Amino acid sequence: MTTTIVAETKNASKSYKSGDTVILALKATSITINRGELVLLLGPSGSGKTTLLSLLGCVIYPTEGEVFLANQSINGLSDMELSDLRLKKIGFVFQNYNLVGPLSALENVLLPLQLQGIGRSESREKAISALALVGMADRMHQTPRKLSGGQQQRVAIARALVNNPSLILCDEPTASLDPKSVVYIMDRFRKLADDGRTMVIVTHDMRLVSYADRIYTVDNGHVKETDISNLKEN
């Protein structure tokens, strides 16, 4: 079977300047993310894993090296081109859900489609299908405050999926969830990967290891691929 690379970094690093001090958030990193994989970026807070996720998500430019999405280098793209790439090719799931409070679940999932100018009828059909995929079609008219944390996260996942992105990036998506919801969400992510979606999940939660195809550990800005079997045994 041919492996399709969805995202890739080549010696990509990120540093920030604070006064006269240069802070290296991520050292030169080369990784590949393949289609249909569930990949964990595992490490403690402040290790650089969210910086790596931001590079893969085309949210920031590398200070050095290159980042590719679907074989396209992002280095030379304008901010507007990056924004368009994120909208069409990447889905984001956040720890705190980032749902718009006054809007219903359906309206929240509709937002990316409306930003693309997709027609109302088609957008509604896609949004309802995405909500059904995560078991939230029966709650589509409820606002976030009427939903549990696990249910809000499911709506956030539906919003990330609605554009059929080539890459879905999750930043600590289970950190605020109860154990039952963690199992539900991770079972759903595993099925999405098995169905050909590509998932990259930032976490420090070792419970997620058993769901992964590959794991990169991040420590003090240094990234290395880790033998997943050793982590599962532990």
Side-chain angles (χ1 to χ4, degrees), residues 77-101:
L77 299 182
S78 67
D79 288 341
M80 185 173 294
E81 287 171 327
L82 273 189
S83 178
D84 188 60
L85 194 65
R86 288 194 300 270
L87 181 62
K88 294 178 178 178
K89 300 289 186 182
I90 304 172
F92 293 91
V93 179
F94 303 96
Q95 174 181 345
N96 295 320
Y97 324 130
N98 285 9
L99 300 178
V100 181

Side-chain angles (χ1 to χ4, degrees), residues 2-69:
T2 303
T3 299
T4 301
I5 297 175
V6 173
E8 184 176 17
T9 67
K10 293 184 177 180
N11 293 317
S13 65
K14 185 65 180 179
S15 59
Y16 300 92
K17 193 169 184 180
S18 177
D20 294 330
T21 303
V22 175
I23 300 170
L24 185 60
L26 186 73
K27 298 175 182 178
T29 298
S30 297
I31 69 170
T32 58
I33 308 296
N34 302 314
R35 183 180 182 273
E37 286 188 319
L38 193 158
V39 177
L40 296 186
L41 305 181
L42 191 64
S45 297
S47 61
K49 58 187 188 297
T50 298
T51 300
L52 177 55
L53 194 77
S54 297
L55 286 172
L56 292 170
C58 304
V59 175
I60 57 176
Y61 298 96
T63 304
E64 295 183 359
E66 288 188 278
V67 176
F68 296 85
L69 184 66

Side-chain angles (χ1 to χ4, degrees), residues 119-140:
R120 182 175 180 179
S121 177
E122 182 183 354
S123 293
R124 183 179 174 83
E125 182 179 344
K126 287 184 175 182
I128 291 173
S129 294
L131 284 165
L133 190 65
V134 297
M136 288 297 292
D138 61 335
R139 303 294 184 96
M140 70 172 72

Side-chain angles (χ1 to χ4, degrees), residues 38-45 47 49-50 53 95 170-176 182 186 189 200-212 214-218:
L38 193 158
V39 177
L40 296 186
L41 305 181
L42 191 64
S45 297
S47 61
K49 58 187 188 297
T50 298
L53 194 77
Q95 174 181 345
C170 310
D171 193 356
E172 300 282 6
T174 61
S176 301
V182 170
M186 291 308 301
F189 283 163
V200 179
I201 301 174
V202 156
T203 188
H204 62 271
D205 189 345
M206 295 301 293
R207 294 175 298 175
L208 309 193
V209 167
S210 62
Y211 295 91
R214 288 193 297 131
I215 293 177
Y216 289 100
T217 54
V218 188

